[in-house]
Amino acid sequence: MAVVDPVADMLTRIRNAYGAHHNDLVVPCSKMKTSIAGILKEEGYIADYAVEDRDISITLKYADGKPLVTGLKRVSKPGRRVYVGASDIPRVQNGIGICIVSTSMGVLEGAKAKEANVGGELLCEIW
């Protein structure tokens, strides 16, 4: 059975793995999901990721036994795309979280997209 929304599937797998206190998980590979994993590592939400054949292996990160990711929200969906301009990129949880935007410069974290003055499709929010 084909997955209709691969990014939402990845976010759900991460949410479920944190909820079950797993140390790592595997998701099917794509360029967008690899970019999202890179942003999550760069921002400190996951410990590491590695691309192996057709899968991405993600190592989760905990602080004092509690997950660093407390919430994941898919904003733009296949049935309803959400586009934002550079000035309309939202602050997530009053600056505590991040948003991920697919721009013409690639997949960027919201603050970096705003800094580069580019907008695009608002993929998800993470806090």
Side-chain angles (χ1 to χ4, degrees):
M1 182 174 178
V3 176
V4 176
D5 189 359
V7 174
D9 178 62
M10 176 186 179
L11 296 176
T12 299
R13 287 179 190 224
I14 292 172
R15 183 183 308 111
N16 290 344
Y18 269 122
H21 296 288
H22 289 259
N23 290 325
D24 52 355
L25 72 135
V26 176
V27 296
C29 187
S30 75
K31 288 181 184 179
M32 182 172 289
K33 290 191 267 187
T34 303
S35 299
I36 291 171
I39 291 171
L40 291 175
K41 181 180 183 328
E42 185 179 301
E43 297 295 323
Y45 287 104
I46 61 173
D48 200 10
Y49 75 99
V51 177
E52 304 161 353
D53 278 338
R54 298 178 138 182
D55 294 326
I56 304 171
S57 177
I58 298 174
T59 305
L60 302 177
K61 193 173 182 181
Y62 295 89
D64 298 327
K66 295 183 179 180
L68 290 180
V69 174
T70 57
L72 297 152
K73 179 183 174 190
R74 176 77 157 121
V75 178
S76 185
K77 300 173 183 170
R80 181 176 177 265
R81 302 288 184 188
V82 177
Y83 296 95
V84 292
S87 60
D88 299 327
I89 295 174
R91 285 179 44 148
V92 179
Q93 299 286 319
N94 255 346
I96 293 172
I98 63 168
C99 62
I100 298 178
V101 183
S102 177
T103 69
S104 58
M105 296 173 61
V107 179
L108 299 174
E109 193 271 323
K112 291 183 181 176
K114 190 177 269 193
E115 186 179 292
N117 198 29
V118 292
E121 182 181 352
L122 182 59
L123 296 176
C124 60
E125 295 177 346
I126 300 164
W127 63 93

